[in-house]
């Protein structure tokens, strides 16, 4: 299994420091990898491609545990594929993050007593670029700390020249194909960010508000409507009822008085109204509600906007100039004074949309915006998954994807910001509209102006899989590395990002989807399963844990919790445990090197190996095959767990310990085991490398003398299996475990030596007597040996002389007391289970619990009685 051609055995036995100090090796190792170009991707290579894009973090951001989690998974995939001989491109880069970045820079200006309007658009954008150069992108350095094997020479930014060209190109193509249009519609408006935001940038939560029922009209033409946004009644242009609602048929078509105004509004019949909900009548405010807008379109109602961009009332009268919330209270008060309030419910919990960036309550607002007609694009995105071109993993997430793409509304892509890709449309003095491509000159002359809006950030990041490769040019990189092999991302941006990349990739790349597989992971949570948040006080800076325990420890903890599509709990204790695992790998390899473990030469013939050697090689090949299968199924938690238990339990705790007596004895058997141990460690370190790259690099290069494990060959299953050896060592483990358990039950310390007589002749244990004595701290029996306890195990027996090692009388007293308690527990449980009246009334879970208590009591009785029987006479 040692296939790496670069591997050369060291001339002399290498040495390792007594302790592993991550902080002393990680930074230098990473820079060495980068300097040697291990992570570069060559478009001219004849190797098969393996491409993954980094979900571009915001330029405003810093590494949080979610990033660290996702990057660990991607890095593991790409490191393995690189070792398997693929030309790997892990594409790095960052997103300009329009709203978030503009907010940051505006806050900085605010500290100077200025606003962006004081600078003007051009100077403000220059200021943002300056901030980006000085303060943005700190996450790049943090990615290096984590060990991300990205192609830094290909790093991209969503507003660099090439990506800006891609944005202009696809905008023009969509515009010419009538898939981009400009229209006045209801949008989600943030009065704080002063921009439109898309549906998926609105976070809904239950807020306490008020539900007010009030009367419109007079006398027999009175009708009751209810609202949680009383301030919008100033813009009402109708009341709607269901066409079949007999209560209101006499009012349909009539005009009724709108309170607090000098207007009358019609009563219209519309099937959108639910006659069973509330009074069956709804107020219609087309300029401030998406459903009302649709009703207004069907009935040719006027659109009356009552608020400006800051959510301040603009309607002339007593409420003009009030904030929407102030106006709400004032209007309810005025209606109450007129006797029009018939019911008030406070608090009234209802779902309210908030800006995902600043948490301000979103205001539905009629606005002229640019839109993508998503119908045909979304259909293609859905079909690509349905026909198997793209696989979503885990498969149960497909339903969520289809629920989204099959019901997409047209996408509002214009934002009232200054930072971002400016919409490439010019307006002429006579109403002309010209869309300009990247290689075209914009129209010149008096009266021509460019649209002031910029594009939604997701518009440019939706092009990421191909714009980063040089599209719209037909580059070698595009030909080599598109489509991506896999997209690894959180299920939370399945709608934000994945669906948009699918739509744009299929459209721009002639029906070729942007990736073959979408591997979805969950969110990182604290150890109690609670969402991490600064406001909750449970947020963790991953750099703190990396500083304290090393990057490998954090990575291994995250990978070990990564079940597909499932949230990942993490606590500091678990990271500390992973640090202990790294130390275990270090100490075991150090022991192996000190005892002559080697990778030099071919493996000895199986006939020359001991059962222990054949067992570990058989298990090693099984684990290689298992880990390969789990990688292909994106089962990071299972593969990490398999590697953990194989390395710690089987290699370190059993094979290394069993080999000690062989090494001490010397001779040909020791030389064979040295080569086997070297092979096992070589392969195990390579298997572990994608998840824990730093410690494995240090150990593997020391063990093998190879250039770097980063470019070593990925292990292959040699198909060597030895069921007989596995069965023999499993029996040996059972014997050792049984005796250890007995020793512990007798209160013996792990290192305490006890005289023992072993009867192993004719059993598989005979060749292992020296190892058994070493593992169990069993001394030769001696002349005065007296067998005070005998343990029969699988045809063998282990007789122990415990005289002088324990207080037999005290031990008998303790065991007798525990036995009596167990028998009492058994009697109580048996009585309850024998009571028919109790069984008839008790819930199933209670009965099951008592049955469990009975089984546990019976088990304890058997164990305690055996211990008593094995004690010498007092």
């Amino acid at each position: 299994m040692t296939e790496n051609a670069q591997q050369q055995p060291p001339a002399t036995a290498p040495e390792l420091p007594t302790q592993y100090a991550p902080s002393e090796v990680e930074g230098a190792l990473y820079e060495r990898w980068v300097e040697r170009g291990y992570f570069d991707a060559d478009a001219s290579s004849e190797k098969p491609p393996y491409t993954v894009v980094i979900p571009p973090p915001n330029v405003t951001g810093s590494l949080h545990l979610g990033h660290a989690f996702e990057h660990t998974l991607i890095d593991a995939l790409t490191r393995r594929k690189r070792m398997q001989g693929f030309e790997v491109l892990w594409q790095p880069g960052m997103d300009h993050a329009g709203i978030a970045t503009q907010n940051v820079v505006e806050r900085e200006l605010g500290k100077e007593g200025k606003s962006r309007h004081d600078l003007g658009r051009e100077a403000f954008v220059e200021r943002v670029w300056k901030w980006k150069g000085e303060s943005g992108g700190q996450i790049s350095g943090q990615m290096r700390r984590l060990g991300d094997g990205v192609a830094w020479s290909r790093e991209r930014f969503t507003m660099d020249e090439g990506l800006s060209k891609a944005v202009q190109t696809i905008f023009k193509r969509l515009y010419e194909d009538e898939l981009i249009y400009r229209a006045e519609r209801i949008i989600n408006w943030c009065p704080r960010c002063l921009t439109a935001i898309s549906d998926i940038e609105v976070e809904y939560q239950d807020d306490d508000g008020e539900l007010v029922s009030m009367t419109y009209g007079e006398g027999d033409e009175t009708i009751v409507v209810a609202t949680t946004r009383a301030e919008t009644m100033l813009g009402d242009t109708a009341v709607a009822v269901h066409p079949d609602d007999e209560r209101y048929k006499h009012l349909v078509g009539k005009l009724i008085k709108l309170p607090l105004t000098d207007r009358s509004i019609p009563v219209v019949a519309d099937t959108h109204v639910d006659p069973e909900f509330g009074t069956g009548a709804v107020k219609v405010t087309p300029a401030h509600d998406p459903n009302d807008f649709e009703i207004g379109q069907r009935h040719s109602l006027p659109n009356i906007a009552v608020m400006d961009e800051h959510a301040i009332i603009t309607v002339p009268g007593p409420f003009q100039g009030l904030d929407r919330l102030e106006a709400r209270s004032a209007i309810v008060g005025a209606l109450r004074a007129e006797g029009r309030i018939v019911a008030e419910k406070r608090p009234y919990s209802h779902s309210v949309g908030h800006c995902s960036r600043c948490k301000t309550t979103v205001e539905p607002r009629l606005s002229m915006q640019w839109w993508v007609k998503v119908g045909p694009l979304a259909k293609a995105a859905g079909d690509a998954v349905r026909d198997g071109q793209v696989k979503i993993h885990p498969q149960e997430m497909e339903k969520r994807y289809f629920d989204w793409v099959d019901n997409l509304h047209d996408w509002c892509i214009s934002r009232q910001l200054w930072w971002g890709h400016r919409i490439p449309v010019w307006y002429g003095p006579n109403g002309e509209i010209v869309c300009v491509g990247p290689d075209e000159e914009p129209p010149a002359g008096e009266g021509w102006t460019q649209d002031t809006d910029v594009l939604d950030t997701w518009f440019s990041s939706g092009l990421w899989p191909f714009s980063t490769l040089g599209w719209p040019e037909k580059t070698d990189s595009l030909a080599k590395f598109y489509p991506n092999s896999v997209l690894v991302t959180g299920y939370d941006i399945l709608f934000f990002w994945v669906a948009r990349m699918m739509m744009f990739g299929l459209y721009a790349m002639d029906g070729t989807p942007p990736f073959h597989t979408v591997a979805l992971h969950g969110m990182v949570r604290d150890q109690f399963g609670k969402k991490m948040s600064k406001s909750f006080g449970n947020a963790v800076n991953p750099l703190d844990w990396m500083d304290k325990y090393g990057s490998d420890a954090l990575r291994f903890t995250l990978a070990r919790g990564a079940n597909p599509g499932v949230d990942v709990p993490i606590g500091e204790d678990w990271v500390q445990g992973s640090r202990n695992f790294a130390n275990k790998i270090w100490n075991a390899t150090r022991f192996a090197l000190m005892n002559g473990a080697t990778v030099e030469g071919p493996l000895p013939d199986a006939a020359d190996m001991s059962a222990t050697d054949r067992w570990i090689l058989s298990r090693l090949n099984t684990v290689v095959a298992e880990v390969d299968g789990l990688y292909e199924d994106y089962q990071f938690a299972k593969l990490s767990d398999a590697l953990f238990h194989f390395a710690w339990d089987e290699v370190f705790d059993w094979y290394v310990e069993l080999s000690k007596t062989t090494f001490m004895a010397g001779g040909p058997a020791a030389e064979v085991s040295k080569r086997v141990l070297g092979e096992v460690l070589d392969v195990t370190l390579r298997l572990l490398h994608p998840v824990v790259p730093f410690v494995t690099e240090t150990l593997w290069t020391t063990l093998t003398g190879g250039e770097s494990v980063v470019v070593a060959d990925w292990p292959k299953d040699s198909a060597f299996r030895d069921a007989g050896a596995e069965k023999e060592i499993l029996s040996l483990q059972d014997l050792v475990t049984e005796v250890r358990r007995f020793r512990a039950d007798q209160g013996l310390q792990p290192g305490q030596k006890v005289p023992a007589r072993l009867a192993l002749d004719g059993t598989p244990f005979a060749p292992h007597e020296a190892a058994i004595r070493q593992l169990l701290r069993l001394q030769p029996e001696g002349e005065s040996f007296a067998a005070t306890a005998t343990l029969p195990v699988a045809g063998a027996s282990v007789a122990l002389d415990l005289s002088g090692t324990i207080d037999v009388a005290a031990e008998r007293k303790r065991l007798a007391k525990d036995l009596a308690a167990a028998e009492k527990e058994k009697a109580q449980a048996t009585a309850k289970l024998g009571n028919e009246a109790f069984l008839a009334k008790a819930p199933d879970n209670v009965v099951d619990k008592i049955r469990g208590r009975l089984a546990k009591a019976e088990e304890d009785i058997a164990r305690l009685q055996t211990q008593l029987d094995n004690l010498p006479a007092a």
Side-chain angles (χ1 to χ4, degrees), residues 210 212 214-215 230 233-234 259-261 317-319 322 326-341 344 346:
E210 60 180 354
V212 179
M214 51 196 176
T215 59
M233 61 89 61
L234 299 175
L260 308 182
T261 72
F319 312 110
L322 295 179
E326 296 171 334
R328 183 175 302 171
S329 177
I331 287 172
V332 170
L335 290 168
R336 189 182 297 111
E338 290 191 4
R340 290 188 173 274
I341 300 296
E344 295 178 71
R346 264 187 222 97

Side-chain angles (χ1 to χ4, degrees), residues 108-298:
E108 292 297 313
L109 282 174
K111 295 175 184 177
E112 302 171 14
K114 298 178 182 178
S115 73
R116 61 181 164 121
H117 300 284
D118 294 323
L119 272 65
R121 183 170 195 141
E122 185 175 340
F124 176 77
V125 171
E126 287 180 4
R127 177 71 176 256
V128 180
W129 276 108
K130 180 182 178 184
W131 175 88
K132 188 258 180 187
E134 294 175 352
S135 306
Q138 62 175 306
I139 200 168
S140 295
Q142 296 166 333
M143 287 166 60
R144 292 171 182 264
R145 282 289 312 278
L146 191 65
D148 287 2
V150 298
W152 287 113
S153 61
R154 291 173 172 266
E155 188 174 10
R156 304 304 297 268
F157 180 54
T158 49
M159 281 186 63
D160 66 27
E161 183 178 353
L163 271 65
S164 294
K165 181 177 182 179
V167 168
Q168 271 191 275
T169 299
I170 201 164
F171 186 99
K172 175 147 187 165
R173 289 189 187 179
L174 290 164
Y175 180 81
E176 291 179 343
D177 286 345
E178 298 183 350
L179 292 172
I180 280 183
Y181 63 94
R182 191 170 184 244
E184 190 177 42
R185 291 189 175 182
I186 295 288
I187 49 90
N188 304 298
W189 181 264
C190 176
R192 160 63 184 80
C193 297
L194 298 180
T195 183
I197 57 176
S198 64
D199 290 344
I200 54 177
E201 292 171 303
V202 178
E203 295 178 348
Y204 287 91
Q205 66 183 47
D206 287 339
D207 287 355
D208 283 340
E210 60 180 354
L211 180 67
V212 179
S213 299
M214 51 196 176
T215 59
Y216 284 11
E218 305 288 351
D220 293 339
E221 296 180 353
T222 297
I223 195 166
V224 176
V225 297
T227 183
T228 58
R229 300 163 64 215
E231 68 280 7
T232 63
M233 61 89 61
L234 299 175
D236 285 359
T237 56
V239 170
V241 298
H242 194 275
D244 300 330
D245 196 330
E246 294 293 336
R247 293 171 296 175
Y248 302 117
K249 279 196 172 182
H250 67 290
L251 292 177
V252 173
K254 292 187 176 181
L255 295 175
I256 61 173
K257 170 71 174 176
L258 179 65
L260 308 182
T261 72
D262 58 1
R263 294 189 292 116
S264 292
I265 57 176
V267 177
V268 300
D270 196 282
T271 54
H272 170 77
V273 180
D274 179 2
E276 302 299 323
F277 183 77
T279 64
V282 297
K283 59 190 286 299
V284 181
T285 321
H288 291 278
D289 183 274
N291 293 321
D292 292 3
F293 177 78
E294 297 296 331
I295 294 174
Q297 292 290 294
R298 289 193 288 271

